[in-house]
Amino acid sequence: MQRLILIFFIASELCYYLLIAQTGIVEYFSSNLFSIAPLPIGGIIGSLLVSYIKIDFKNRISLFLIIQLLMSFLYPNFNFLTLFILGIAVGSLAPLIINEIKKTTLLELGLALCLSYVTGTLLFNYEVNERGIIAIILTTITLVASRFLPKEKFTQNSNMEFPLLMMILWVFLDSTLFESLSRDVTLSIWRDGFTFQIALFHIIGVFSALYFKFDKNQKSLLIITLFALSYLFYFLREGYILSMIYPVVISYYNVVILQTIIKKDFRTITFYMIFIGWMASGAGLFVALANLILFVPIVLLVVILKIMIGEYKPNNKEIEYV
């Protein structure tokens, strides 16, 4: 029973971040960077401070979930202060949730992510102004589940670790395309009747990342190539194909990031979340709002070439001198 509770605990908070912090608040404030600034500022501060709070992890989780729940009753009518407080709660919870993912098996991690992605996809078209009830329900589920979490941790099979800069790039690429798509009045895969295939290909992406074995360079090249194809079909306005490729890369790279981060100690996790969870996604939002997305393919091309050169560069030890 505790294993099932852990799955719902992870899924509900991830879904909260997607539907409330990432999309709901941003859309409600019409993507005004000045208006929503207290949220990421609070998030960064929360991620920094949570490792210094001298209570056990279980009570830390409950504390910030109670704050998140109280703020959820105010949704979407936030002012500067309440948005800042919500940011602190969400920012503190992110590394705490990742720390709990250390307790999952591969199957449990896959089920939690699939549940989050499918629920988020199904509820994505729910009116932004009316998501307060969703915020309350999701936080309540997470809060109740947090009191019954298992204690034992599992060792994940993956021994690959990706550099922070690479993971920042993935989040930036995702955020830029996501924010551009969600504001595009002529092409929005979530509002164009592709809900079923988006959910299906999220599931495919999750379990492909968990169970298909590739080496580090192959995974990096696959992720960047899928991003390149996603951007290509976005520019070509091919929503049907985009709704299959883009969910796969979202799910795939997030699994890879989680498998890298959960090997770290808690303080390192909080440091990573500042750059991955807030700065990279914020940079993507800025690029989308400034209509600079056309320059992103240049970045993709450079990264693909760098990975390919690294993949095929001969090892000095393998060079034989005659």
Side-chain angles (χ1 to χ4, degrees):
M1 188 62 180
Q2 281 187 317
R3 314 308 307 177
L4 184 62
I5 290 173
L6 178 60
I7 291 171
F8 279 98
F9 169 80
I10 296 168
S12 57
E13 184 59 23
L14 292 179
C15 201
Y16 182 97
Y17 181 81
L18 170 66
L19 293 172
I20 306 303
Q22 184 177 4
T23 59
I25 291 172
V26 174
E27 287 189 33
Y28 180 77
F29 285 98
S30 303
S31 303
N32 185 306
L33 291 176
F34 179 78
S35 298
I36 63 177
L39 181 68
I41 293 171
I44 292 171
I45 292 174
S47 295
L48 282 172
L49 293 181
V50 66
S51 61
Y52 294 96
I53 297 177
K54 302 301 181 184
I55 56 177
D56 60 53
F57 284 110
K58 185 175 182 179
N59 288 326
R60 268 185 265 191
I61 291 170
S62 295
L63 169 64
F64 290 109
L65 281 172
I66 290 172
I67 296 173
Q68 180 177 289
L69 181 60
L70 292 174
M71 293 300 103
S72 295
F73 280 102
L74 302 177
Y75 180 92
N77 301 307
F78 295 111
N79 57 33
F80 186 94
L81 178 61
T82 53
L83 202 55
F84 176 74
I85 294 172
L86 178 64
I88 289 177
V90 174
S92 300
L93 284 166
L96 290 168
I97 298 296
I98 291 174
N99 196 57
E100 293 302 308
I101 291 176
K102 293 179 179 181
K103 300 176 181 178
T104 62
T105 63
L106 283 180
L107 178 60
E108 289 164 353
L109 175 58
L111 291 175
L113 291 174
C114 288
L115 180 59
S116 173
Y117 285 129
V118 171
T119 304
T121 300
L122 294 176
L123 295 177
F124 190 85
N125 290 329
Y126 204 92
E127 191 65 37
V128 169
N129 294 358
E130 299 174 4
R131 290 186 188 177
I133 185 63
I134 295 177
I136 293 169
I137 291 173
L138 289 174
T139 306
T140 301
I141 292 172
T142 313
L143 179 58
V144 173
S146 70
R147 307 310 297 173
F148 304 97
L149 296 175
K151 295 181 179 180
E152 67 274 15
K153 296 183 180 181
F154 289 87
T155 302
Q156 297 283 352
N157 293 329
S158 174
N159 57 2
M160 295 183 194
E161 292 193 26
F162 291 81
L164 176 59
L165 190 59
M166 179 64 73
M167 295 187 288
I168 290 172
L169 174 65
W170 295 340
V171 175
F172 167 75
L173 293 172
D174 182 16
S175 179
T176 301
L177 184 54
F178 180 86
E179 300 295 350
S180 298
L181 263 176
S182 62
R183 288 162 181 77
D184 198 316
V185 294
T186 62
L187 180 67
S188 175
I189 58 176
W190 296 279
R191 298 186 177 96
D192 289 345
F194 300 126
T195 299
F196 172 76
Q197 62 208 60
I198 291 172
L200 174 62
F201 282 91
H202 269 308
I203 295 171
I204 291 172
V206 168
F207 285 102
S208 295
L210 288 173
Y211 293 107
F212 290 165
K213 304 302 180 184
F214 298 105
D215 66 32
K216 186 175 178 180
N217 273 354
Q218 289 171 335
K219 281 192 174 185
S220 297
L221 185 59
L222 176 61
I223 292 170
I224 292 298
T225 301
L226 288 174
F227 267 124
L229 289 172
S230 297
Y231 274 85
L232 173 63
F233 289 112
Y234 171 71
F235 292 133
L236 293 176
R237 321 306 287 170
E238 291 288 347
Y240 183 80
I241 301 176
L242 182 61
S243 66
M244 293 185 285
I245 295 176
Y246 186 38
V248 171
V249 68
I250 292 174
S251 303
Y252 194 100
Y253 92 80
N254 273 302
V255 170
V256 172
I257 284 179
L258 286 174
Q259 288 184 315
T260 296
I261 294 179
I262 60 176
K263 298 185 180 76
K264 310 295 182 182
D265 62 87
F266 184 70
R267 189 158 293 181
T268 303
I269 292 174
T270 63
F271 174 78
Y272 272 45
M273 288 312 300
I274 291 171
F275 288 94
I276 295 174
W278 296 105
M279 292 187 176
S281 57
L285 174 60
F286 173 79
V287 170
L289 294 179
N291 293 317
L292 297 174
I293 191 173
L294 287 171
F295 294 97
V296 175
I298 299 174
V299 177
L300 279 165
L301 179 60
V302 171
V303 174
I304 289 174
L305 290 173
K306 186 177 185 303
I307 294 173
M308 292 182 69
I309 291 171
E311 175 77 16
Y312 297 107
K313 186 177 181 180
N315 190 324
N316 290 334
K317 294 181 181 180
E318 297 175 355
I319 297 177
E320 294 183 2
Y321 296 94
V322 178

